[in-house]
């Protein structure tokens, strides 16, 4: 028989852990977090490649309700972020709620009983509330290049780093020039015999204002009330200002463009290399990257930037339109399947309707959280909630509050389920699509924010404080509701 719980959360990254903490605080006692991997951490468990780090300072890229004053540096490395998340799970009693090695394969809403029936690799569960905290960047994307499986040496994705592969003295190929490549190339260039970086389009890379925190600074952050909050607020305001450039006044990108030019011109002496590193699309259309050592690494004699398109992979290396590159190891820094959201889970809502079918024309969810026809299903970091300019944790916290508000409202009113009205969801989607059309993300580049047909479905086209205001509390007029039968 299926075990019954009050709420089931899928995923134990920042989203799942934070949501569990907030629901526990709201008095939801019988909670379970299902995690397909053997450890918690999501992004910060999976991305263990050398140089992995956050692009947002950790005073901001952390929970507001669990401030940490002893980060070693402004942009700490991945192990420190993972440790922080472990600490949060332990400290707030979430660790015992997590069922590791349990992948959700299917969820079906039983509308008579008002319960989600959740099928996992470890059996069946039931709960009135189902929360997906699967993230947008959880499933690695490997490129469809002919012969990829034929390569004779080690090859792996940055999010599945093979720590057994010794790169010392090896000829290494890195495919892709996104955020992970920019972090990993300087690290491996120092130990490999040579690195070839295969670039399809150049990224905008600006300087990274990183530095270690001094001992006295950490002591002051601990001792002086309000100092940590002030540092967080200052960082928040500085990052939030950038939204103006992304979504409203692209002309404001000029300041960042100047920073990019300064980095490139100051760090790359070879004019041909410099030219190859100038992106052919407006700044911000793809994620803006930060690094102080990427351009210097590309200027090393043992690092080569290859811009000719890859045609084939052979057992011995990579072939491009203009030549052959024999290598010993291939690293794919090719990103994630970001627009598929809850895939490959099969989610069935009211009247047997499948989420895949409902999302045929791209993912839709009111405020990125609720999907019409799928009662009591809540998405965290869902469609239209990714950012180009600020911390995802801030968006997640807005969603925790909204979901908790829905759960509390149902409890108060004795409701079995709530379902967002289709017209409310449609109006939200129309507004998002309309507003996204005038943003820099829709300005003529291909990015991971887009579906195959070129629709931007990942990003929030505004200020994060506006999103917080919109998600402050659920509006009962937005939902259809079903009461609990009298005997329950
Ligand atoms: C390399 C990298 C760098 C990043 N840097 C930044 C940054 O600088 N700033 C920023 O704001 N954001 C950044 N992000 C985005 C980052 O993903 C989010 O900030 C945040 O970590 C998302 O947390 P999450 O819990 O929503 O998702 P995730 O961390 O992806 O966690 C999802 C969890 O769900 C589990 N799961 C998925 N499907 C199932 C299933 N069917 N059954 C059971 N479990 C399942 C996964 O195993 C995983 O543990 C970065 C992402 C990457 C990949």
């Amino acid at each position: 028989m299926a075990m019954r719980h009050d709420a089931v959360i899928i995923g134990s990254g920042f989203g799942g852990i934070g949501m569990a903490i907030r629901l526990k605080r709201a008095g939801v006692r019988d909670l379970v977090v299902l995690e397909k991997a053997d450890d918690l951490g999501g992004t910060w468990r999976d991305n263990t490649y050398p140089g992995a780090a956050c692009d947002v300072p950790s005073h901001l890229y952390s929970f507001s309700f669990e401030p940490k004053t002893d980060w070693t540096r402004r942009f700490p490395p991945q192990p420190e972020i993972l440790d922080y998340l472990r600490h949060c799970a332990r400290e707030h009693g979430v660790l015992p709620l997590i069922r590791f090695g349990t992948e959700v394969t299917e969820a079906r809403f039983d509308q008579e009983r008002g319960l989600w029936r959740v099928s996992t690799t470890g059996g069946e569960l039931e709960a009135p509330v189902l929360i997906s905290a699967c993230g947008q960047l959880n499933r690695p994307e490997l490129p469809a290049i002919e012969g990829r499986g034929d390569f004779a040496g080690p090859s792996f994705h940055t999010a599945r780093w093979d720590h057994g592969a010794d790169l010392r003295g090896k000829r290494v190929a890195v495919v892709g020039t996104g955020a992970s490549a920019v972090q990993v190339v300087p690290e491996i260039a120092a130990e490999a015999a040579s690195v070839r970086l295969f670039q399809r389009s150049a990224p905008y890379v600006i300087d990274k204002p990183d530095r270690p925190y001094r001992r006295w600074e950490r002591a002051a952050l601990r001792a002086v009330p309000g100092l940590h909050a002030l540092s967080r607020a200052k960082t928040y305001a500085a990052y939030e200002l950038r939204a103006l450039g992304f979504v409203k006044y692209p002309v404001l990108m000029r300041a960042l463009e100047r920073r990019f030019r300064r980095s490139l011109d100051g760090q790359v002496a070879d004019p041909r290399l410099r030219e190859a590193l100038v992106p052919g699309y407006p700044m911000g259309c793809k994620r803006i990257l930060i690094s102080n050592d990427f351009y210097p690494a590309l200027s090393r004699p043992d690092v080569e930037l290859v811009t000719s398109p890859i045609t084939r992979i052979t057992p011995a290396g990579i072939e491009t339109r203009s030549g052959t590159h024999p290598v010993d190891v291939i690293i794919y820094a090719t990103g994630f399947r970001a627009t598929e959201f809850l895939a490959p889970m099969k989610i069935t809502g009211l009247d047997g309707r499948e989420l895949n079918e409902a999302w045929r024309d791209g993912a839709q969810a009111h405020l990125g959280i609720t999907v019409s026809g799928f009662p009591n299903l809540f998405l965290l970091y869902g469609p239209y909630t990714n950012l180009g300019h600020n911390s995802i944790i801030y968006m997640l916290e807005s969603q925790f509050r909204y979901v908790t508000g829905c759960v509390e409202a149902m409890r108060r009113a004795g409701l079995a389920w709530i379902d967002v009205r289709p017209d409310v969801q449609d109006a939200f989607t129309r507004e998002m699509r309309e507003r996204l059309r005038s943003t820099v993300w829709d300005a003529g580049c291909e990015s991971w924010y887009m579906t195959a047909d070129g629709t931007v479905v990942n990003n929030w086209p505004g200020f994060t404080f506006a999103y917080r205001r919109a998600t402050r509390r659920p509006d009962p007029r937005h939902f259809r509701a079903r009461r609990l039968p009298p005997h329950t």
Side-chain angles (χ1 to χ4, degrees), residues 423 425-435 437:
D423 55 314
Q425 179 177 304
D426 287 349
F428 176 78
T429 307
R430 264 198 313 277
E431 184 197 332
M432 290 295 104
R433 293 198 174 163
E434 180 63 27
R435 284 172 59 187
R437 262 196 288 278

Side-chain angles (χ1 to χ4, degrees), residues 45-63:
R45 172 201 65 226
D46 290 344
N47 290 274
T48 59
Y49 58 82
C54 194
D55 277 359
V56 174
S58 279
H59 283 183
L60 184 58
Y61 191 81
S62 48
F63 292 128

Side-chain angles (χ1 to χ4, degrees), residues 118-304:
V118 183
S119 306
T120 78
T121 47
E124 295 240 318
L125 301 87
E126 289 180 346
V129 172
L130 179 63
I131 300 166
S132 163
C134 297
Q136 293 191 5
L137 307 177
N138 174 245
R139 296 200 305 140
E141 171 90 285
L142 285 165
I145 303 173
E146 188 194 325
R148 186 163 52 77
D150 301 339
F151 183 62
S155 68
F156 46 90
H157 190 276
T158 42
R160 299 286 181 272
W161 194 264
D162 179 353
H163 290 277
D166 186 0
L167 303 184
R168 279 174 301 181
K170 299 277 168 42
R171 297 165 304 173
V172 180
V174 177
V175 179
T177 50
S180 304
V182 163
Q183 293 181 341
V184 84
V185 165
E187 298 290 322
I188 61 173
E191 60 177 36
S194 67
V195 175
R196 279 169 208 200
L197 176 62
F198 292 81
Q199 168 179 288
R200 202 163 54 175
S201 70
Y204 282 96
V205 184
I206 60 173
D207 55 292
K208 179 174 183 173
D210 192 18
R211 67 175 182 82
Y213 283 116
R214 296 180 194 95
R215 253 221 313 257
W216 68 262
E217 282 180 297
R218 285 187 266 162
L221 280 163
R222 209 169 33 247
V224 181
L227 194 58
H228 181 275
L230 184 68
S231 157
R232 188 178 162 95
K234 253 177 61 189
T235 308
Y236 174 77
Y239 275 71
E240 194 61 0
L241 264 180
R242 288 193 191 171
L244 283 173
F246 281 95
V247 302
K248 232 179 161 71
Y249 307 111
V251 67
L252 293 179
M253 281 292 176
R254 296 240 174 93
L256 288 180
E257 257 163 44
R258 278 195 294 275
R259 261 171 81 179
F260 156 70
R261 274 300 345 178
R262 253 199 322 271
S263 290
L264 185 66
D265 295 347
Q267 293 175 339
V268 180
D270 175 354
R272 287 237 310 269
L273 178 59
R274 223 166 36 221
E275 199 185 315
L277 287 168
V278 175
Y281 54 87
M283 190 167 200
C285 193
K286 295 179 189 227
R287 195 170 174 87
I288 299 170
L289 309 179
I290 56 173
S291 173
N292 298 325
D293 47 13
F294 178 63
Y295 289 144
L298 290 185
S299 302
R300 290 169 62 119
D302 50 1
V303 176
E304 185 189 345

Side-chain angles (χ1 to χ4, degrees), residues 9-17 34-37 39-47 49 52-56 61 85 102-105 133-139 159 179-180 183 287 336 342-345 380-381 386-387 390-393 396 448:
I9 298 173
I10 311 170
S12 67
F14 267 96
I17 300 290
L34 305 176
E35 171 53 62
K36 67 180 176 186
D39 193 4
L40 59 78
T43 291
W44 303 104
R45 172 201 65 226
D46 290 344
N47 290 274
Y49 58 82
C54 194
D55 277 359
V56 174
Y61 191 81
L85 202 50
T102 308
E103 177 165 4
V104 175
T105 49
C134 297
Q136 293 191 5
L137 307 177
N138 174 245
R139 296 200 305 140
S180 304
Q183 293 181 341
R287 195 170 174 87
F336 300 86
L342 276 64
M345 286 183 283
L380 304 178
Y381 196 14
N386 183 55
L387 302 172
N390 213 326
S391 168
I392 296 301
I393 312 300
L396 284 171
W448 64 261

